[in-house]
Amino acid sequence: TANGGIHDAPTANLSGYTDTDEISDWASEAMRWANAAGLITGRTETTLAPKGTASRAEAATLLQRYMQNVG
């Protein structure tokens, strides 16, 4: 895109997580970008919980990381 964005950004290889098959097709690229940007690091070292519900603390952490790393 002319203004950059997710399509031009680095993405992570998520193969180290055991639940990547649960990531919806429409969210796959965004999840790889968010992991590469350090916004989403997983619930554990081996799980992302893509079908889970984020707690208020997890959402706040994601927003804080976005402001520090991307925004």
CSV table of all heavy atoms in Angstrom, one decimal:
chain,number,residue,atom,x,y,z
A,1,THR,N,0.8,-1.2,0.0
A,1,THR,CA,0.0,0.0,0.0
A,1,THR,C,0.9,1.2,0.0
A,1,THR,O,2.0,1.2,0.4
A,1,THR,CB,-0.9,0.0,1.2
A,1,THR,OG1,-0.1,0.0,2.4
A,1,THR,CG2,-1.9,-1.1,1.2
A,2,ALA,N,0.3,2.3,-0.4
A,2,ALA,CA,1.1,3.6,-0.5
A,2,ALA,C,1.5,4.1,0.8
A,2,ALA,O,2.6,4.7,1.0
A,2,ALA,CB,0.2,4.6,-1.2
A,3,ASN,N,0.7,3.8,1.9
A,3,ASN,CA,1.0,4.3,3.2
A,3,ASN,C,1.7,3.3,4.1
A,3,ASN,O,1.7,3.4,5.3
A,3,ASN,CB,-0.2,4.9,3.9
A,3,ASN,CG,-0.8,6.1,3.2
A,3,ASN,OD1,0.0,6.9,2.6
A,3,ASN,ND2,-2.1,6.2,3.1
A,4,GLY,N,2.1,2.2,3.5
A,4,GLY,CA,2.7,1.1,4.3
A,4,GLY,C,1.6,0.3,5.0
A,4,GLY,O,0.5,0.2,4.4
A,5,GLY,N,1.8,-0.2,6.1
A,5,GLY,CA,0.7,-0.9,6.8
A,5,GLY,C,1.1,-2.4,7.0
A,5,GLY,O,2.2,-2.8,6.7
A,6,ILE,N,0.1,-3.2,7.3
A,6,ILE,CA,0.3,-4.6,7.6
A,6,ILE,C,0.8,-5.4,6.5
A,6,ILE,O,1.6,-6.3,6.6
A,6,ILE,CB,-1.0,-5.2,8.2
A,6,ILE,CG1,-0.7,-6.6,8.8
A,6,ILE,CG2,-2.1,-5.2,7.2
A,6,ILE,CD1,-1.9,-7.2,9.5
A,7,HIS,N,0.4,-5.0,5.2
A,7,HIS,CA,0.8,-5.8,4.1
A,7,HIS,C,2.3,-5.6,3.8
A,7,HIS,O,2.9,-6.4,3.1
A,7,HIS,CB,0.0,-5.4,2.9
A,7,HIS,CG,-1.5,-5.7,3.1
A,7,HIS,ND1,-1.9,-7.0,3.2
A,7,HIS,CD2,-2.5,-4.9,3.3
A,7,HIS,CE1,-3.2,-7.0,3.4
A,7,HIS,NE2,-3.6,-5.7,3.5
A,8,ASP,N,2.9,-4.5,4.2
A,8,ASP,CA,4.3,-4.2,4.0
A,8,ASP,C,5.2,-4.6,5.2
A,8,ASP,O,6.4,-4.4,5.1
A,8,ASP,CB,4.5,-2.8,3.6
A,8,ASP,CG,3.8,-2.4,2.3
A,8,ASP,OD1,3.6,-3.3,1.5
A,8,ASP,OD2,3.3,-1.2,2.2
A,9,ALA,N,4.6,-5.0,6.3
A,9,ALA,CA,5.3,-5.2,7.5
A,9,ALA,C,5.9,-6.6,7.6
A,9,ALA,O,5.4,-7.5,7.0
A,9,ALA,CB,4.4,-4.9,8.7
A,10,PRO,N,6.9,-6.8,8.4
A,10,PRO,CA,7.4,-8.1,8.7
A,10,PRO,C,6.4,-9.0,9.4
A,10,PRO,O,5.6,-8.4,10.2
A,10,PRO,CB,8.6,-7.9,9.6
A,10,PRO,CG,8.9,-6.4,9.6
A,10,PRO,CD,7.7,-5.7,9.1
A,11,THR,N,6.4,-10.2,9.1
A,11,THR,CA,5.5,-11.2,9.8
A,11,THR,C,6.3,-12.3,10.4
A,11,THR,O,7.4,-12.6,10.0
A,11,THR,CB,4.5,-11.7,8.8
A,11,THR,OG1,5.1,-12.4,7.8
A,11,THR,CG2,3.6,-10.7,8.3
A,12,ALA,N,5.7,-12.9,11.4
A,12,ALA,CA,6.4,-14.0,12.2
A,12,ALA,C,6.0,-15.3,11.7
A,12,ALA,O,4.9,-15.5,11.1
A,12,ALA,CB,6.1,-13.9,13.7
A,13,ASN,N,6.8,-16.3,11.9
A,13,ASN,CA,6.5,-17.7,11.6
A,13,ASN,C,5.9,-18.2,12.9
A,13,ASN,O,6.6,-18.3,13.9
A,13,ASN,CB,7.8,-18.5,11.2
A,13,ASN,CG,7.5,-19.9,11.0
A,13,ASN,OD1,6.5,-20.5,11.4
A,13,ASN,ND2,8.5,-20.6,10.4
A,14,LEU,N,4.7,-18.7,12.9
A,14,LEU,CA,4.0,-19.1,14.1
A,14,LEU,C,4.0,-20.6,14.3
A,14,LEU,O,3.3,-21.1,15.2
A,14,LEU,CB,2.5,-18.6,14.0
A,14,LEU,CG,2.3,-17.1,13.9
A,14,LEU,CD1,0.8,-16.8,13.8
A,14,LEU,CD2,2.9,-16.4,15.1
A,15,SER,N,4.9,-21.3,13.5
A,15,SER,CA,4.9,-22.7,13.6
A,15,SER,C,5.3,-23.3,15.0
A,15,SER,O,5.0,-24.5,15.3
A,15,SER,CB,5.8,-23.3,12.5
A,15,SER,OG,7.1,-22.9,12.7
A,16,GLY,N,5.9,-22.5,15.8
A,16,GLY,CA,6.3,-22.9,17.1
A,16,GLY,C,5.1,-23.0,18.1
A,16,GLY,O,5.2,-23.6,19.2
A,17,TYR,N,4.0,-22.5,17.7
A,17,TYR,CA,2.8,-22.6,18.6
A,17,TYR,C,2.0,-23.8,18.1
A,17,TYR,O,1.8,-24.1,16.9
A,17,TYR,CB,1.9,-21.3,18.4
A,17,TYR,CG,2.7,-20.1,19.0
A,17,TYR,CD1,3.3,-19.2,18.1
A,17,TYR,CD2,2.7,-19.8,20.3
A,17,TYR,CE1,4.0,-18.1,18.6
A,17,TYR,CE2,3.4,-18.7,20.8
A,17,TYR,CZ,4.0,-17.8,20.0
A,17,TYR,OH,4.7,-16.8,20.4
A,18,THR,N,1.4,-24.5,19.1
A,18,THR,CA,0.7,-25.7,18.8
A,18,THR,C,-0.7,-25.5,18.4
A,18,THR,O,-1.3,-26.5,17.9
A,18,THR,CB,0.7,-26.7,20.1
A,18,THR,OG1,0.1,-26.0,21.1
A,18,THR,CG2,2.1,-27.0,20.5
A,19,ASP,N,-1.3,-24.3,18.5
A,19,ASP,CA,-2.7,-24.1,18.2
A,19,ASP,C,-2.9,-23.2,17.0
A,19,ASP,O,-3.9,-22.6,16.8
A,19,ASP,CB,-3.4,-23.6,19.4
A,19,ASP,CG,-2.8,-22.4,20.0
A,19,ASP,OD1,-1.8,-21.9,19.5
A,19,ASP,OD2,-3.4,-21.9,21.0
A,20,THR,N,-1.9,-23.1,16.1
A,20,THR,CA,-2.0,-22.2,14.9
A,20,THR,C,-3.1,-22.7,14.0
A,20,THR,O,-3.7,-21.8,13.2
A,20,THR,CB,-0.7,-22.1,14.2
A,20,THR,OG1,-0.3,-23.4,13.8
A,20,THR,CG2,0.3,-21.4,15.0
A,21,ASP,N,-3.5,-23.9,14.0
A,21,ASP,CA,-4.6,-24.4,13.1
A,21,ASP,C,-5.9,-23.8,13.5
A,21,ASP,O,-6.9,-23.9,12.8
A,21,ASP,CB,-4.6,-25.9,13.1
A,21,ASP,CG,-4.8,-26.6,14.5
A,21,ASP,OD1,-4.4,-25.9,15.5
A,21,ASP,OD2,-5.4,-27.6,14.6
A,22,GLU,N,-6.0,-23.2,14.7
A,22,GLU,CA,-7.2,-22.6,15.2
A,22,GLU,C,-7.4,-21.2,14.7
A,22,GLU,O,-8.4,-20.5,15.0
A,22,GLU,CB,-7.3,-22.7,16.7
A,22,GLU,CG,-7.4,-24.1,17.3
A,22,GLU,CD,-7.4,-24.1,18.8
A,22,GLU,OE1,-7.8,-23.1,19.4
A,22,GLU,OE2,-7.0,-25.2,19.3
A,23,ILE,N,-6.3,-20.6,14.1
A,23,ILE,CA,-6.4,-19.2,13.7
A,23,ILE,C,-7.2,-19.2,12.4
A,23,ILE,O,-7.0,-19.9,11.5
A,23,ILE,CB,-5.0,-18.7,13.4
A,23,ILE,CG1,-4.1,-18.7,14.6
A,23,ILE,CG2,-5.1,-17.2,12.8
A,23,ILE,CD1,-2.6,-18.3,14.3
A,24,SER,N,-8.2,-18.3,12.4
A,24,SER,CA,-9.1,-18.2,11.3
A,24,SER,C,-8.3,-17.6,10.1
A,24,SER,O,-7.4,-16.9,10.3
A,24,SER,CB,-10.3,-17.2,11.6
A,24,SER,OG,-11.0,-17.7,12.6
A,25,ASP,N,-8.7,-18.1,8.9
A,25,ASP,CA,-8.0,-17.6,7.7
A,25,ASP,C,-7.9,-16.1,7.6
A,25,ASP,O,-6.9,-15.6,7.2
A,25,ASP,CB,-8.7,-18.2,6.4
A,25,ASP,CG,-8.5,-19.7,6.3
A,25,ASP,OD1,-7.6,-20.3,6.9
A,25,ASP,OD2,-9.3,-20.3,5.6
A,26,TRP,N,-9.0,-15.4,7.9
A,26,TRP,CA,-9.0,-14.0,7.8
A,26,TRP,C,-8.1,-13.3,8.8
A,26,TRP,O,-7.7,-12.1,8.6
A,26,TRP,CB,-10.5,-13.5,7.9
A,26,TRP,CG,-11.1,-13.8,9.3
A,26,TRP,CD1,-11.9,-14.8,9.6
A,26,TRP,CD2,-11.0,-13.0,10.5
A,26,TRP,NE1,-12.3,-14.8,10.9
A,26,TRP,CE2,-11.7,-13.7,11.5
A,26,TRP,CE3,-10.3,-11.8,10.8
A,26,TRP,CZ2,-11.8,-13.2,12.8
A,26,TRP,CZ3,-10.4,-11.4,12.1
A,26,TRP,CH2,-11.1,-12.1,13.1
A,27,ALA,N,-7.7,-14.0,9.9
A,27,ALA,CA,-6.9,-13.4,10.9
A,27,ALA,C,-5.4,-13.8,10.8
A,27,ALA,O,-4.6,-13.3,11.6
A,27,ALA,CB,-7.5,-13.7,12.3
A,28,SER,N,-5.1,-14.7,9.9
A,28,SER,CA,-3.8,-15.3,9.9
A,28,SER,C,-2.7,-14.2,9.7
A,28,SER,O,-1.7,-14.2,10.4
A,28,SER,CB,-3.7,-16.3,8.8
A,28,SER,OG,-2.4,-16.9,8.8
A,29,GLU,N,-2.8,-13.4,8.7
A,29,GLU,CA,-1.8,-12.4,8.4
A,29,GLU,C,-1.7,-11.4,9.5
A,29,GLU,O,-0.6,-11.0,9.9
A,29,GLU,CB,-2.2,-11.6,7.1
A,29,GLU,CG,-1.2,-10.6,6.7
A,29,GLU,CD,-1.5,-9.9,5.4
A,29,GLU,OE1,-2.6,-10.0,4.9
A,29,GLU,OE2,-0.6,-9.1,4.9
A,30,ALA,N,-2.8,-10.9,10.1
A,30,ALA,CA,-2.7,-10.0,11.2
A,30,ALA,C,-2.1,-10.6,12.4
A,30,ALA,O,-1.3,-10.0,13.1
A,30,ALA,CB,-4.2,-9.5,11.5
A,31,MET,N,-2.4,-11.9,12.7
A,31,MET,CA,-1.8,-12.6,13.8
A,31,MET,C,-0.3,-12.7,13.6
A,31,MET,O,0.5,-12.5,14.6
A,31,MET,CB,-2.4,-14.0,14.0
A,31,MET,CG,-1.9,-14.7,15.2
A,31,MET,SD,-2.4,-13.9,16.8
A,31,MET,CE,-4.0,-14.9,17.0
A,32,ARG,N,0.2,-13.0,12.4
A,32,ARG,CA,1.7,-13.1,12.1
A,32,ARG,C,2.3,-11.7,12.3
A,32,ARG,O,3.4,-11.6,12.8
A,32,ARG,CB,1.9,-13.7,10.7
A,32,ARG,CG,1.6,-15.2,10.6
A,32,ARG,CD,2.1,-15.8,9.4
A,32,ARG,NE,1.9,-15.0,8.2
A,32,ARG,CZ,0.9,-15.0,7.4
A,32,ARG,NH1,-0.2,-15.8,7.6
A,32,ARG,NH2,0.8,-14.3,6.3
A,33,TRP,N,1.6,-10.7,11.9
A,33,TRP,CA,2.1,-9.3,12.0
A,33,TRP,C,2.2,-8.9,13.5
A,33,TRP,O,3.2,-8.4,14.0
A,33,TRP,CB,1.3,-8.3,11.3
A,33,TRP,CG,1.6,-6.9,11.6
A,33,TRP,CD1,2.7,-6.2,11.1
A,33,TRP,CD2,1.0,-6.1,12.6
A,33,TRP,NE1,2.7,-4.9,11.7
A,33,TRP,CE2,1.7,-4.9,12.6
A,33,TRP,CE3,-0.1,-6.2,13.4
A,33,TRP,CZ2,1.3,-3.8,13.4
A,33,TRP,CZ3,-0.5,-5.2,14.2
A,33,TRP,CH2,0.2,-4.0,14.2
A,34,ALA,N,1.1,-9.2,14.2
A,34,ALA,CA,1.1,-8.8,15.7
A,34,ALA,C,2.1,-9.6,16.5
A,34,ALA,O,2.7,-9.0,17.4
A,34,ALA,CB,-0.3,-9.1,16.2
A,35,ASN,N,2.4,-10.8,16.1
A,35,ASN,CA,3.4,-11.6,16.8
A,35,ASN,C,4.8,-11.0,16.5
A,35,ASN,O,5.6,-10.8,17.4
A,35,ASN,CB,3.3,-13.0,16.5
A,35,ASN,CG,4.3,-13.9,17.3
A,35,ASN,OD1,5.3,-14.3,16.7
A,35,ASN,ND2,4.0,-14.1,18.5
A,36,ALA,N,5.1,-10.7,15.2
A,36,ALA,CA,6.3,-10.1,14.8
A,36,ALA,C,6.6,-8.8,15.4
A,36,ALA,O,7.7,-8.4,15.8
A,36,ALA,CB,6.4,-10.0,13.3
A,37,ALA,N,5.5,-8.0,15.6
A,37,ALA,CA,5.6,-6.7,16.2
A,37,ALA,C,5.7,-6.7,17.8
A,37,ALA,O,5.9,-5.7,18.4
A,37,ALA,CB,4.4,-5.8,15.8
A,38,GLY,N,5.6,-7.9,18.3
A,38,GLY,CA,5.7,-8.1,19.8
A,38,GLY,C,4.4,-7.8,20.5
A,38,GLY,O,4.4,-7.6,21.7
A,39,LEU,N,3.3,-7.6,19.8
A,39,LEU,CA,2.0,-7.3,20.4
A,39,LEU,C,1.4,-8.5,21.1
A,39,LEU,O,0.8,-8.4,22.1
A,39,LEU,CB,1.1,-6.6,19.4
A,39,LEU,CG,1.6,-5.4,18.7
A,39,LEU,CD1,0.5,-4.9,17.7
A,39,LEU,CD2,2.0,-4.3,19.6
A,40,ILE,N,1.4,-9.6,20.4
A,40,ILE,CA,0.9,-10.8,20.9
A,40,ILE,C,2.0,-11.8,21.0
A,40,ILE,O,2.6,-12.2,20.0
A,40,ILE,CB,-0.3,-11.4,19.9
A,40,ILE,CG1,-1.4,-10.4,19.9
A,40,ILE,CG2,-0.7,-12.7,20.3
A,40,ILE,CD1,-2.5,-10.7,18.9
A,41,THR,N,2.2,-12.3,22.2
A,41,THR,CA,3.4,-13.2,22.4
A,41,THR,C,2.9,-14.6,22.8
A,41,THR,O,3.7,-15.5,23.0
A,41,THR,CB,4.3,-12.6,23.5
A,41,THR,OG1,3.6,-12.4,24.7
A,41,THR,CG2,4.9,-11.3,23.0
A,42,GLY,N,1.6,-14.8,23.0
A,42,GLY,CA,1.1,-16.1,23.3
A,42,GLY,C,0.6,-16.2,24.8
A,42,GLY,O,1.2,-15.5,25.6
A,43,ARG,N,-0.3,-17.0,25.0
A,43,ARG,CA,-0.7,-17.3,26.4
A,43,ARG,C,0.3,-18.0,27.1
A,43,ARG,O,0.6,-17.8,28.3
A,43,ARG,CB,-2.0,-18.1,26.4
A,43,ARG,CG,-3.3,-17.4,26.0
A,43,ARG,CD,-4.0,-16.9,27.2
A,43,ARG,NE,-5.1,-16.0,26.9
A,43,ARG,CZ,-6.3,-16.3,26.7
A,43,ARG,NH1,-6.7,-17.5,26.8
A,43,ARG,NH2,-7.2,-15.4,26.4
A,44,THR,N,1.0,-18.9,26.4
A,44,THR,CA,2.2,-19.7,27.0
A,44,THR,C,3.2,-19.6,25.9
A,44,THR,O,3.0,-19.0,24.8
A,44,THR,CB,1.8,-21.1,27.3
A,44,THR,OG1,1.6,-21.9,26.1
A,44,THR,CG2,0.6,-21.3,28.2
A,45,GLU,N,4.3,-20.3,26.1
A,45,GLU,CA,5.4,-20.3,25.1
A,45,GLU,C,5.0,-21.1,23.9
A,45,GLU,O,5.6,-20.9,22.8
A,45,GLU,CB,6.7,-20.9,25.7
A,45,GLU,CG,7.3,-19.9,26.7
A,45,GLU,CD,8.7,-20.5,27.2
A,45,GLU,OE1,9.3,-21.2,26.4
A,45,GLU,OE2,9.1,-20.1,28.3
A,46,THR,N,4.0,-21.9,24.0
A,46,THR,CA,3.6,-22.8,22.8
A,46,THR,C,2.2,-22.6,22.4
A,46,THR,O,1.7,-23.3,21.5
A,46,THR,CB,3.9,-24.3,23.2
A,46,THR,OG1,3.1,-24.6,24.3
A,46,THR,CG2,5.3,-24.5,23.4
A,47,THR,N,1.4,-21.7,23.0
A,47,THR,CA,0.0,-21.5,22.6
A,47,THR,C,-0.3,-20.0,22.5
A,47,THR,O,0.1,-19.2,23.2
A,47,THR,CB,-1.0,-22.1,23.7
A,47,THR,OG1,-0.8,-21.5,24.9
A,47,THR,CG2,-0.8,-23.6,23.8
A,48,LEU,N,-1.2,-19.8,21.5
A,48,LEU,CA,-1.7,-18.4,21.2
A,48,LEU,C,-3.1,-18.2,21.7
A,48,LEU,O,-3.5,-17.1,22.0
A,48,LEU,CB,-1.6,-18.1,19.7
A,48,LEU,CG,-0.2,-18.0,19.1
A,48,LEU,CD1,-0.3,-18.0,17.6
A,48,LEU,CD2,0.4,-16.7,19.6
A,49,ALA,N,-3.9,-19.3,21.8
A,49,ALA,CA,-5.3,-19.3,22.1
A,49,ALA,C,-6.1,-18.4,21.2
A,49,ALA,O,-6.8,-17.5,21.7
A,49,ALA,CB,-5.5,-18.9,23.6
A,50,PRO,N,-6.0,-18.6,19.9
A,50,PRO,CA,-6.7,-17.7,19.0
A,50,PRO,C,-8.2,-17.7,19.1
A,50,PRO,O,-8.9,-16.8,18.6
A,50,PRO,CB,-6.2,-18.2,17.6
A,50,PRO,CG,-5.8,-19.6,17.8
A,50,PRO,CD,-5.3,-19.7,19.2
A,51,LYS,N,-8.8,-18.7,19.6
A,51,LYS,CA,-10.2,-18.8,19.8
A,51,LYS,C,-10.6,-18.4,21.2
A,51,LYS,O,-11.8,-18.4,21.5
A,51,LYS,CB,-10.8,-20.2,19.5
A,51,LYS,CG,-10.5,-20.7,18.1
A,51,LYS,CD,-11.4,-20.1,17.1
A,51,LYS,CE,-11.1,-20.7,15.7
A,51,LYS,NZ,-11.7,-20.0,14.7
A,52,GLY,N,-9.7,-18.0,22.0
A,52,GLY,CA,-10.0,-17.6,23.4
A,52,GLY,C,-10.5,-16.2,23.5
A,52,GLY,O,-10.5,-15.5,22.5
A,53,THR,N,-10.9,-15.8,24.7
A,53,THR,CA,-11.3,-14.5,24.9
A,53,THR,C,-10.3,-13.7,25.7
A,53,THR,O,-9.7,-14.3,26.7
A,53,THR,CB,-12.6,-14.5,25.8
A,53,THR,OG1,-13.6,-15.3,25.1
A,53,THR,CG2,-13.2,-13.1,26.1
A,54,ALA,N,-9.9,-12.5,25.3
A,54,ALA,CA,-8.9,-11.8,25.9
A,54,ALA,C,-9.4,-11.1,27.2
A,54,ALA,O,-10.6,-10.6,27.2
A,54,ALA,CB,-8.4,-10.7,25.0
A,55,SER,N,-8.7,-11.2,28.3
A,55,SER,CA,-9.1,-10.5,29.5
A,55,SER,C,-8.8,-9.0,29.4
A,55,SER,O,-8.2,-8.6,28.4
A,55,SER,CB,-8.2,-11.1,30.7
A,55,SER,OG,-6.9,-10.7,30.6
A,56,ARG,N,-9.3,-8.3,30.3
A,56,ARG,CA,-9.1,-6.8,30.3
A,56,ARG,C,-7.6,-6.5,30.4
A,56,ARG,O,-7.1,-5.7,29.7
A,56,ARG,CB,-9.9,-6.2,31.4
A,56,ARG,CG,-9.8,-4.7,31.4
A,56,ARG,CD,-10.5,-4.1,32.5
A,56,ARG,NE,-11.4,-4.9,33.2
A,56,ARG,CZ,-12.3,-4.5,34.2
A,56,ARG,NH1,-12.4,-3.3,34.5
A,56,ARG,NH2,-13.1,-5.4,34.8
A,57,ALA,N,-6.9,-7.3,31.2
A,57,ALA,CA,-5.4,-7.1,31.4
A,57,ALA,C,-4.7,-7.4,30.1
A,57,ALA,O,-3.8,-6.7,29.7
A,57,ALA,CB,-4.9,-8.0,32.5
A,58,GLU,N,-5.1,-8.5,29.4
A,58,GLU,CA,-4.5,-8.8,28.1
A,58,GLU,C,-4.7,-7.8,27.1
A,58,GLU,O,-3.8,-7.4,26.3
A,58,GLU,CB,-5.0,-10.2,27.6
A,58,GLU,CG,-4.5,-11.4,28.4
A,58,GLU,CD,-5.2,-12.7,28.1
A,58,GLU,OE1,-6.4,-12.7,27.7
A,58,GLU,OE2,-4.5,-13.7,28.2
A,59,ALA,N,-5.9,-7.3,27.0
A,59,ALA,CA,-6.3,-6.2,26.0
A,59,ALA,C,-5.5,-4.9,26.3
A,59,ALA,O,-4.9,-4.3,25.4
A,59,ALA,CB,-7.8,-5.9,26.0
A,60,ALA,N,-5.4,-4.6,27.6
A,60,ALA,CA,-4.6,-3.4,28.0
A,60,ALA,C,-3.1,-3.6,27.7
A,60,ALA,O,-2.5,-2.6,27.2
A,60,ALA,CB,-4.7,-3.1,29.5
A,61,THR,N,-2.6,-4.8,27.9
A,61,THR,CA,-1.2,-5.0,27.5
A,61,THR,C,-1.0,-4.9,26.0
A,61,THR,O,0.0,-4.3,25.6
A,61,THR,CB,-0.8,-6.4,28.0
A,61,THR,OG1,-0.9,-6.5,29.4
A,61,THR,CG2,0.6,-6.8,27.6
A,62,LEU,N,-1.9,-5.5,25.2
A,62,LEU,CA,-1.8,-5.4,23.8
A,62,LEU,C,-1.7,-3.9,23.3
A,62,LEU,O,-0.9,-3.5,22.5
A,62,LEU,CB,-2.9,-6.1,23.1
A,62,LEU,CG,-2.8,-6.3,21.6
A,62,LEU,CD1,-3.3,-7.6,21.2
A,62,LEU,CD2,-3.5,-5.2,20.9
A,63,LEU,N,-2.7,-3.1,23.9
A,63,LEU,CA,-2.7,-1.7,23.5
A,63,LEU,C,-1.5,-0.9,24.0
A,63,LEU,O,-0.9,-0.1,23.2
A,63,LEU,CB,-4.0,-1.0,24.1
A,63,LEU,CG,-5.3,-1.5,23.5
A,63,LEU,CD1,-6.5,-1.0,24.3
A,63,LEU,CD2,-5.4,-1.1,22.1
A,64,GLN,N,-1.0,-1.2,25.1
A,64,GLN,CA,0.3,-0.6,25.6
A,64,GLN,C,1.4,-1.0,24.7
A,64,GLN,O,2.2,-0.1,24.3
A,64,GLN,CB,0.6,-1.0,27.0
A,64,GLN,CG,1.8,-0.4,27.6
A,64,GLN,CD,2.1,-0.8,29.0
A,64,GLN,OE1,1.6,-1.7,29.5
A,64,GLN,NE2,3.1,-0.1,29.6
A,65,ARG,N,1.6,-2.2,24.4
A,65,ARG,CA,2.6,-2.7,23.5
A,65,ARG,C,2.5,-2.0,22.1
A,65,ARG,O,3.5,-1.6,21.5
A,65,ARG,CB,2.6,-4.2,23.3
A,65,ARG,CG,3.1,-4.9,24.5
A,65,ARG,CD,3.0,-6.4,24.3
A,65,ARG,NE,3.4,-7.1,25.5
A,65,ARG,CZ,3.1,-8.4,25.7
A,65,ARG,NH1,2.4,-9.1,24.9
A,65,ARG,NH2,3.5,-9.0,26.8
A,66,TYR,N,1.3,-1.8,21.6
A,66,TYR,CA,1.1,-1.2,20.3
A,66,TYR,C,1.6,0.3,20.4
A,66,TYR,O,2.3,0.7,19.5
A,66,TYR,CB,-0.4,-1.2,19.9
A,66,TYR,CG,-0.7,-0.5,18.6
A,66,TYR,CD1,-0.5,-1.2,17.4
A,66,TYR,CD2,-1.0,0.8,18.6
A,66,TYR,CE1,-0.7,-0.5,16.2
A,66,TYR,CE2,-1.2,1.5,17.4
A,66,TYR,CZ,-1.1,0.8,16.2
A,66,TYR,OH,-1.2,1.4,15.0
A,67,MET,N,1.2,1.0,21.4
A,67,MET,CA,1.7,2.4,21.6
A,67,MET,C,3.2,2.5,21.7
A,67,MET,O,3.8,3.4,21.2
A,67,MET,CB,1.0,3.0,22.8
A,67,MET,CG,-0.5,3.2,22.6
A,67,MET,SD,-1.0,4.1,21.1
A,67,MET,CE,-0.3,5.7,21.5
A,68,GLN,N,3.8,1.5,22.4
A,68,GLN,CA,5.3,1.6,22.5
A,68,GLN,C,6.0,1.1,21.3
A,68,GLN,O,7.1,1.6,21.0
A,68,GLN,CB,5.7,0.7,23.7
A,68,GLN,CG,5.2,1.2,25.1
A,68,GLN,CD,5.5,0.3,26.2
A,68,GLN,OE1,5.7,-0.9,26.0
A,68,GLN,NE2,5.5,0.8,27.4
A,69,ASN,N,5.5,0.1,20.6
A,69,ASN,CA,6.3,-0.5,19.5
A,69,ASN,C,5.9,-0.1,18.1
A,69,ASN,O,6.7,-0.1,17.2
A,69,ASN,CB,6.1,-2.1,19.6
A,69,ASN,CG,6.6,-2.6,20.9
A,69,ASN,OD1,7.4,-2.0,21.6
A,69,ASN,ND2,6.2,-3.8,21.2
A,70,VAL,N,4.6,0.3,18.0
A,70,VAL,CA,4.1,0.6,16.6
A,70,VAL,C,3.7,2.1,16.5
A,70,VAL,O,4.0,2.7,15.5
A,70,VAL,CB,2.9,-0.3,16.2
A,70,VAL,CG1,2.4,-0.1,14.9
A,70,VAL,CG2,3.4,-1.8,16.4
A,71,GLY,N,2.9,2.5,17.4
A,71,GLY,CA,2.2,3.8,17.4
A,71,GLY,C,3.1,5.0,17.5
A,71,GLY,O,4.0,5.4,17.5
